[in-house]
């Protein structure tokens, strides 16, 4: 049986480090509040004009491709996860194909926010297992800093997010190698889609949000145009999050989807070498760790230094764990994510 293994991994974060203290220049917040509620000490922000979601993805991809012993023209397919694309359309996949001078291979964009990378990995895994492709590039990249409300009004969201990119190259592995993805598990429930969302610009014409009570929005004023001066003037173009509601669902779905992956393969939490959770919020990761009875050394967290990088957070964390020498070949690793949609997902693999 053919499995897919991670043959190369890379990450890129912008040089600019933004501390919590620096954010206090723009909004009423404090280092203490941010660290206590989210665990975040600092995050990276992309260069405003020279770095985009695609340029960061390209840097991470170059490292992943080189570590796989390949060159860009060896890649057969791209799966690109992001919620902050360079353009509304076309997607970032084609821009990455162009940036790296790859062949005219297929390029697929995945729109699953925080679960995006795990979803993208699952898609790539199917292509490898069916024998359709041999070298699939899977990327998660985000430039959040360009689309956050840096006034006090947006502080509950803005302090959480950071920029960066992570990438892996998936290749076929024979079962005897003892490496590769054992299974992936994908879920969605759109019932509460508006709890964590960016409504504008969009085509909803107020349809979906009209029955919601949203702190930042007056229902009569949104959605009549794809984008309007009014939306901009009233700051209705920024992400909305009901933080406490997200927390409640996240701490239920994370453990559920991690256990689903473990049990599907006959494992228990104690068997895990490392859990790489989407870096949503340190409090969420700690809650999940406690619920699953995992030791500190079984859970990898780096949100303290990068903030929440959405689709990039899992590959960045996995890459750091690899670069720090924490992961040894064949170690049992679980990747897990939960995010806007809601969507949640996991992947269990032997490194
Ligand atoms: N600095 C200072 N005060 C703030 C800030 C801030 N950055 N943000 C909000 N506050 C204030 C609020 O205005 C509010 O003040 P009030 O009581 O006077 O009205 C108070 O803090 C509490 O506001 P809540 O939004 O209820 O804040 P909460 O204590 O729940 O913390 C947080 C907010 C950290 C987002 C929390 O809800 C949480 O952990 N949510 C989980 C969701 C999450 O982490 N999402 C990450 C992205 S989504 C994902 O990746 C899946």
């Amino acid at each position: 049986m053919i499995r897919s293994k991670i043959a190369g991994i890379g990450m890129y974060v912008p040089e600019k480090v933004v501390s919590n203290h620096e954010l206090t220049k723009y909004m009423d917040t404090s280092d203490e509040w941010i660290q206590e509620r989210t665990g975040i000490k600092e995050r990276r922000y992309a260069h405003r004009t020279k770095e985009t979601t695609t340029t960061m993805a390209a840097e991470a991809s170059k490292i992943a491709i080189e570590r796989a012993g390949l060159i860009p023209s060896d890649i057969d397919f791209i799966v690109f996860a992001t919620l902050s694309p360079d353009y509304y359309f076309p997607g970032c996949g084609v821009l990455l194909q162009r940036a790296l001078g790859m062949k005219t291979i297929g390029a697929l964009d995945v729109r699953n926010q925080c679960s995006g990378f795990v979803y993208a990995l699952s898609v790539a895994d199917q292509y490898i297992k069916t024998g359709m492709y041999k070298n699939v590039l899977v990327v998660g990249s985000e430039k959040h800093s360009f689309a956050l409300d840096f006034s006090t009004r947006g502080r509950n969201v803005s302090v959480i997010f950071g920029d960066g990119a992570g990438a892996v190259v998936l290749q076929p592995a024979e079962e005897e190698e003892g490496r590769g993805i054992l299974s992936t598990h994908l879920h969605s429930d759109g019932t509460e889609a508006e709890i964590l969302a960016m409504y504008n610009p969009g085509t909803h014409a107020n349809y979906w949000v009209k029955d919601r009570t949203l702190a930042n929005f007056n229902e009569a004023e949104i959605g009549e145009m794809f984008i309007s001066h009014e939306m901009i003037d009233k700051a209705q173009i920024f992400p909305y999050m009901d933080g406490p509601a997200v927390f409640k669902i996240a701490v239920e779905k994370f453990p559920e989807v991690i256990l689903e992956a473990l049990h599907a393969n006959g494992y228990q939490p104690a068997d895990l070498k490392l859990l790489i959770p989407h870096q949503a919020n340190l409090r969420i990761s700690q809650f999940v760790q406690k619920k699953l009875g995992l030791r500190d050394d079984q859970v990898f967290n780096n949100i303290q230094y990068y903030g929440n990088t959405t689709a990039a957070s899992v590959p960045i964390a996995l890459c750091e764990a690899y670069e720090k020498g924490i992961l040894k070949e064949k170690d049992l690793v679980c990747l897990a994510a939960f995010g806007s949609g809601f969507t949640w997902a996991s992947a269990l693999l032997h490194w």
Side-chain angles (χ1 to χ4, degrees):
M1 188 187 148
I2 298 290
R3 291 216 164 110
S4 20
K5 67 175 177 193
I6 294 177
I9 186 162
M11 63 176 272
Y12 174 83
V13 288
E15 261 179 46
K16 190 178 162 62
V17 177
V18 178
S19 67
N20 292 340
H21 181 70
E22 199 166 334
L23 293 180
T24 65
K25 291 183 199 160
Y26 313 105
M27 62 187 83
D28 180 13
T29 189
S30 66
D31 178 46
E32 197 190 358
W33 193 97
I34 300 170
Q35 285 211 49
E36 193 187 306
R37 309 294 176 107
T38 70
I40 299 165
K41 297 174 195 287
E42 59 192 35
R43 72 286 292 142
R44 304 294 181 99
Y45 283 173
H47 189 280
R48 290 195 84 75
T49 56
K50 293 188 186 133
E51 287 181 314
T52 72
T53 294
T54 303
T55 69
M56 292 188 285
E59 293 308 314
S61 299
K62 281 184 212 164
I63 299 166
I65 292 169
E66 199 188 323
R67 283 179 176 163
L70 303 175
I71 57 173
S73 58
D74 292 324
I75 298 296
D76 301 317
F77 194 72
I78 301 165
V79 194
F80 197 127
T82 186
L83 67 69
S84 51
D86 293 29
Y87 303 130
Y88 193 80
F89 72 84
C92 284
V94 298
L95 303 181
L96 184 61
Q97 179 273 337
R98 178 175 71 184
L100 294 184
M102 292 189 261
K103 290 184 288 190
T104 56
I105 53 173
L108 176 71
D109 279 60
V110 168
R111 291 288 311 269
N112 282 72
Q113 294 60 253
C114 303
S115 307
F117 182 81
V118 183
Y119 263 75
L121 195 74
S122 178
V123 171
D125 181 38
Q126 312 314 313
Y127 281 125
I128 298 278
K129 283 198 297 206
T130 57
M132 187 160 170
Y133 297 124
K134 295 269 179 279
N135 297 302
V136 181
L137 179 63
V138 187
V139 189
S141 182
E142 304 286 2
K143 182 177 174 178
H144 285 303
S145 58
F146 226 49
L148 295 172
D149 182 354
F150 284 103
S151 72
T152 296
R153 180 185 49 212
R155 64 185 177 173
N156 71 318
V157 173
S158 304
V159 300
I160 293 174
F161 294 97
D163 301 340
V168 302
V169 173
L170 275 198
Q171 278 181 350
E174 294 295 336
E175 203 174 349
E176 305 80 71
E177 262 188 70
R179 296 191 59 202
I181 296 172
L182 301 172
S183 61
T184 58
H185 306 269
L186 312 179
H187 295 280
S188 72
D189 179 355
T191 314
E192 303 286 7
E194 286 77 20
I195 276 183
L196 175 55
M198 190 166 131
Y199 309 105
N200 300 311
T203 59
H204 56 79
N206 219 7
Y207 182 73
W208 296 107
V209 291
K210 67 183 172 192
D211 294 321
R212 302 280 163 176
T213 313
L214 302 172
N216 293 338
F217 296 95
N218 173 345
E219 66 175 64
E221 292 167 350
I222 55 170
E224 282 157 25
M225 299 273 288
F226 180 68
I227 184 105
S228 68
H229 288 291
E230 203 175 10
M231 283 176 198
I232 297 167
D233 294 343
K234 293 191 171 169
Q236 292 165 344
I237 52 165
F238 297 114
Y240 170 82
M241 177 176 75
D242 177 343
V246 172
F247 190 94
K248 227 171 112 187
I249 306 171
V251 296
E252 179 193 325
K253 296 302 176 193
F254 259 115
E256 212 175 275
V257 81
I258 293 163
L259 288 175
E260 183 182 1
L262 288 168
H263 295 166
N265 295 282
Y267 290 113
Q268 296 298 326
D271 299 319
L272 267 182
K273 166 70 187 203
L274 203 60
L275 168 67
I276 308 265
H278 158 56
Q279 305 291 297
N281 181 320
L282 192 60
R283 281 171 57 216
I284 293 178
S285 292
Q286 287 166 340
F287 199 97
V288 172
Q289 175 181 340
K290 203 168 160 206
K291 207 159 171 183
L292 294 176
L294 295 170
R295 301 181 309 271
D296 285 353
D297 65 281
Q298 286 179 290
V299 184
F300 191 84
N301 290 304
N302 62 3
I303 191 171
Q304 299 91 327
Y305 308 103
Y306 303 121
N308 178 333
T309 57
T310 314
S313 92
V314 168
I316 287 176
L318 187 61
C319 187
E320 271 209 347
Y322 163 72
E323 288 177 356
K324 286 182 175 190
I326 296 169
L327 291 177
K328 303 277 176 294
E329 216 169 277
K330 300 183 189 175
D331 278 345
L332 188 66
V333 179
C334 185
L335 314 180
F338 169 86
S340 159
F342 291 107
T343 61
W344 57 105
S346 61
L348 194 70
L349 56 97
H350 280 125
W351 178 251

